[in-house]
Amino acid sequence: MKILVTVKEVAEVEDDFEIDGTSISESSLEYDLNEWDDYAVEAAVQIAEAGDDVEVVAVTIGPERSEETIRMALAKGVDRAVRVWDDAFEDVDLLDVESKTDVLAAVAAEEDPDLVLTGVQAADDSFGATGVSLADELGFEWAAVVNDLELGEDTASVRRELEGGVEELTEVELPAVFTIQTGINEPRYASLRGIRQAQRKEIAATGLGDLGLDASVVESDLRLTEMYEPESESDVTLFEGDAEATAAELATVLREKGVGAE
Amino acid sequence: MSDVLAVVDHRRGSLRDVSYELVTAGRELAGGDELHVAVVSGDVDRFAEKLDLDGVDAIHTVDYGEEFNHDVYLQAVEQLYADLEPGVVLLPNSVNGLDYAPAVANSLSLPLVTDAIAFDTDDGLDVTREMYGSKVETTIEVDAEPVVVTVRGGEWPAAEANGGADVVPFDVDIDESAVRSTVTGFEEVGGGDVDITDADVLVSVGRGIGEEENLDLVFDLAEALDATVSSSRPIVDNGWLPKNRQVGQSGKVVTPDVYLAIGISGAVQHVAGMKGAETIVAINTDPNAPIFDIADYGVVDDLFDVVPALIEAFE
Ligand SMILES: Cc1cc2nc3c(=O)[nH]c(=O)nc-3n(C[C@H](O)[C@H](O)[C@H](O)COP(=O)(O)OP(=O)(O)OC[C@H]3O[C@@H](n4cnc5c(N)ncnc54)[C@H](O)[C@@H]3O)c2cc1C
């Protein structure tokens, strides 16, 4: 069996940041593996560990810089990775769902996986759409926001986490794409041995041409035209000073609201 | 603009709130053109009565099955789309909305914008959406029609007044062989002995607490304030607190007198569960944390300094 896991290196914004045009200036960003993908990777690795002859392949769309992050997935037990990048991606502010779908579907066509795991969403642009779109493109069945997954022979039993503490129990025919929710497992830390082994694992740098695609795949009818700090409608009262002073002010407010009264 | 097809959300016999908001958003988008609302599965006639709201031109009922099934919804929306030729397919950005909207967009080869929080239709369609955990807002210009858009719950007011729309039963042709998943049941999670929805004062802890052993500090504060401890999701995901403590979209909706958010950024899914609190107090090192947008009182400082001082102030 082969499992394809889609992973993304996402940017986290520092507390103080600056916006530069339609993006956040590079100096205010830190890069990490997308939180949801960490759980998807763990889910895949656990399936591999429990089964015989399961290969886990990670696929990412990302520049060379992202190899460091992808290597962390390899250190956690992913067997190898495919990293798709092309100059065409450099100038795109918003890589839309359709473009991502086409690229990932092309990789899936080469890899021919039995199961695809993605994160529910990427923490940066939070479209929350790639997994389900990819499923439709591949003709796979799917389930979004999965927080429990048991694979059977031809079907999988999953729980989908709905709103308000309700979970939906669903039987899904395989092959399928599942978008994995945080909390489904406990993502491991990479061991030293894992990190050493990861150095020898393959990250195949793949261009659009290698996938039979060209630069037109990034074209989109959606354009990111503005990025700005939201206008705060807040009328928050902020207390300033050292902790003792602010705590005293907070305590006064809280007492006024009846907190701590016997 | 052009005609809008809005498909509502329901679960276990009730329309979900976002359905009424979708009507308002749909009306805004349709401008002088038509707003078509569709309801798929369940007790469609009863739902249609409730959806007869101001601004709705027609309600299309798809009487097939009971609960949400994405394979049925996908086929139904494809067929409605072919019949109505709308310029915008408007869907809720709910967990179920996200379980089929991307498939609708891909299958119809339409662009997709999810999680819209505002529209500008002055010159074509511009969609406002957030990025980086609500730290920035962006404008997405949509250069083509038709388009699929999902809207965030709680951003548009619910449509109310009565409409007088036509109810049109839609004759759907569902290919059963393409229905490859089956819902077998629902389960409520997050039960147990602590009921955070019952508390007057909640001391709520987020990822800013760093380590499991630091939770003691939060429990000490709760004791000093005679409050109950709740949390954001990562604390529950890490297994540090049970699910019944989680506030938010997938946890509990709480409306205490006072909600003290400690090391919580204020992500939209968290805010969905606590914005109804009477007074919100936030302690966070990040002055740009979205929690300060909804807080009444706040301290921009390290919780490990402020919380011990606050405990002392109450002892
Ligand atoms: C489908 C779905 C459902 C979800 N449901 C929920 C839900 O029900 N509930 C929920 O909470 N989330 C939910 N989430 C997750 C949500 O998107 C966020 O990831 C989560 O709320 C973040 O939790 P947090 O604020 O504790 O952590 P972070 O966003 O990591 O914030 C931590 C905060 O702590 C601050 N901080 C760090 N150190 C300190 C310090 N020493 N002193 C003071 N402050 C400090 C930081 O500045 C930061 O603002 C859901 C997500 C999805 C996709």
Side-chain angles (χ1 to χ4, degrees):
Chain A
M1 181 167 92
K2 190 191 276 188
I3 307 175
L4 189 65
V5 194
T6 65
V7 295
K8 184 180 182 191
E9 182 187 67
V10 296
E12 281 168 26
V13 182
E14 289 181 355
D15 289 0
D16 290 312
F17 64 93
E18 264 170 54
I19 295 172
D20 181 9
T22 54
S23 52
I24 292 184
S25 64
E26 199 60 32
S27 60
S28 325
L29 296 177
E30 272 180 62
Y31 292 94
D32 204 350
L33 179 62
N34 179 40
E35 185 181 354
W36 281 267
D37 299 347
D38 202 16
Y39 289 87
V41 164
E42 180 65 31
V45 170
Q46 286 187 8
I47 293 168
E49 287 171 343
D52 290 329
D53 206 18
V54 181
E55 187 184 24
V56 180
V57 180
V59 54
T60 192
I61 303 173
E64 203 172 342
R65 183 202 59 227
S66 64
E67 290 206 355
E68 213 181 307
T69 300
I70 304 315
R71 219 167 275 287
M72 288 314 291
L74 295 175
K76 293 178 180 193
V78 170
D79 295 301
R80 61 187 172 82
V82 177
R83 179 179 66 82
V84 183
W85 195 245
D86 195 281
D87 289 345
F89 293 117
E90 299 276 358
D91 302 321
V92 183
D93 278 336
L94 177 81
L95 192 61
D96 80 357
V97 177
E98 201 177 354
S99 304
K100 286 180 203 165
T101 301
D102 290 345
V103 171
L104 295 173
V107 173
E110 306 239 310
E111 294 289 345
D112 195 21
D114 304 283
L115 180 69
V116 179
L117 301 183
T118 76
V120 163
Q121 63 174 24
D124 48 8
D125 60 16
S126 310
F127 265 73
T130 303
V132 172
S133 180
L134 180 62
D136 184 72
E137 185 66 27
L138 298 177
F140 279 28
E141 189 53 18
W142 72 88
V145 194
V146 167
N147 70 358
D148 191 52
L149 167 60
E150 263 170 59
L151 286 182
E153 196 61 28
D154 304 312
T155 61
S157 308
V158 304
R159 280 171 182 262
R160 293 183 57 234
E161 183 195 87
L162 306 179
E163 293 87 353
V166 177
E167 294 181 350
E168 178 200 279
L169 284 63
T170 304
E171 293 291 316
V172 181
E173 284 180 25
L174 298 172
V177 177
F178 297 118
T179 82
I180 300 297
Q181 174 65 315
T182 59
I184 188 175
N185 51 40
E186 267 182 66
R188 69 195 65 192
Y189 292 99
S191 64
L192 277 175
R193 189 163 153 265
I195 292 169
R196 264 201 312 276
Q197 284 174 341
Q199 298 307 322
R200 292 193 301 273
K201 290 181 180 174
E202 179 193 17
I203 302 181
T206 307
L208 289 176
D210 301 324
L211 296 169
L213 300 170
D214 60 47
S216 67
V217 76
V218 307
E219 285 169 13
S220 171
D221 292 319
L222 306 177
R223 284 201 307 135
L224 182 65
T225 56
E226 284 180 296
M227 180 179 288
Y228 50 91
E229 285 192 54
E231 239 173 81
S232 174
E233 288 152 27
S234 118
D235 43 9
V236 62
T237 305
L238 291 180
F239 298 125
E240 284 166 29
D242 63 14
E244 212 168 299
T246 55
E249 303 241 39
L250 275 184
T252 308
V253 167
L254 291 172
R255 284 206 176 91
E256 269 168 25
K257 307 282 172 198
V259 176
E262 289 302 303
Chain B
M1 287 308 291
S2 50
D3 292 356
V4 173
L5 168 63
V7 186
V8 300
D9 226 14
H10 62 83
R11 185 188 304 155
R12 298 159 97 190
S14 310
L15 285 171
R16 302 194 58 249
D17 289 348
V18 69
S19 301
Y20 300 97
E21 299 158 17
L22 205 61
V23 169
T24 307
R27 186 68 261 158
E28 182 186 335
L29 275 183
D33 292 307
E34 290 181 356
L35 171 60
H36 294 263
V37 170
V39 54
V40 182
S41 307
D43 192 351
V44 291
D45 293 325
R46 185 167 54 84
F47 291 149
E49 268 173 48
K50 301 203 162 180
L51 290 166
D52 186 7
L53 299 160
D54 197 22
V56 178
D57 292 292
I59 302 159
H60 304 267
T61 56
V62 180
D63 189 7
Y64 189 97
E66 278 307 309
E67 292 293 341
F68 173 79
N69 177 297
H70 59 230
D71 294 316
V72 172
Y73 268 59
L74 172 59
Q75 294 183 53
V77 174
E78 281 171 339
Q79 291 170 31
L80 283 160
Y81 175 82
D83 194 48
L84 299 167
E85 299 180 352
V88 181
V89 179
L90 197 64
L91 308 176
N93 199 66
S94 57
V95 173
N96 281 346
L98 286 178
D99 193 43
Y100 80 105
V104 168
N106 191 67
S107 135
L108 297 174
S109 294
L110 302 179
L112 170 68
V113 185
T114 62
D115 208 16
I117 60 169
F119 299 133
D120 181 344
T121 54
D122 282 349
D123 180 22
L125 174 61
D126 284 346
V127 179
T128 306
R129 62 189 307 282
E130 297 178 338
M131 271 181 69
Y132 299 109
S134 306
K135 280 199 166 180
V136 300
E137 284 182 6
T138 62
T139 305
I140 307 278
E141 187 182 293
V142 181
D143 290 335
E145 265 194 1
V147 59
V148 180
V149 178
T150 70
V151 303
R152 177 181 291 182
E155 295 293 326
W156 278 266
E160 279 172 6
N162 262 30
D166 298 330
V167 177
V168 195
F170 185 77
D171 210 0
V172 74
D173 181 17
I174 300 292
D175 172 7
E176 277 289 339
S177 70
V179 179
R180 292 176 292 164
S181 62
T182 317
V183 177
T184 58
F186 294 95
E187 219 172 274
E188 313 266 351
V189 294
D193 48 352
V194 178
D195 185 2
I196 57 171
T197 64
D198 217 25
D200 295 329
V201 183
L202 285 173
V203 169
S204 207
V205 54
R207 182 145 49 195
I209 197 70
E211 304 283 337
E212 182 171 13
E213 60 255 31
N214 298 339
L215 283 179
D216 286 349
L217 185 62
V218 177
F219 278 94
D220 289 348
L221 178 63
E223 198 181 319
L225 302 185
D226 195 16
T228 305
V229 172
S230 59
S231 80
S232 67
R233 175 173 190 121
I235 305 298
V236 174
D237 283 345
N238 287 347
W240 298 350
L241 285 175
K243 183 90 189 165
N244 59 16
R245 303 273 185 165
Q246 183 183 318
V247 173
Q249 173 187 305
S250 47
K252 299 265 163 72
V253 175
V254 297
T255 51
D257 297 336
V258 176
Y259 187 87
L260 198 60
I262 301 176
I264 292 177
S265 63
V268 51
Q269 296 92 352
H270 185 78
V271 170
M274 47 68 78
K275 60 177 180 231
E278 188 76 31
T279 300
I280 297 169
V281 180
I283 302 173
N284 196 308
T285 39
D286 178 4
N288 293 312
I291 191 76
F292 288 118
D293 291 339
I294 57 159
D296 301 290
Y297 300 94
V299 177
V300 180
D301 201 353
D302 194 321
L303 71 92
F304 295 105
D305 294 329
V306 181
V307 173
L310 190 56
I311 294 171
E312 206 154 293
F314 268 88
E315 269 169 357

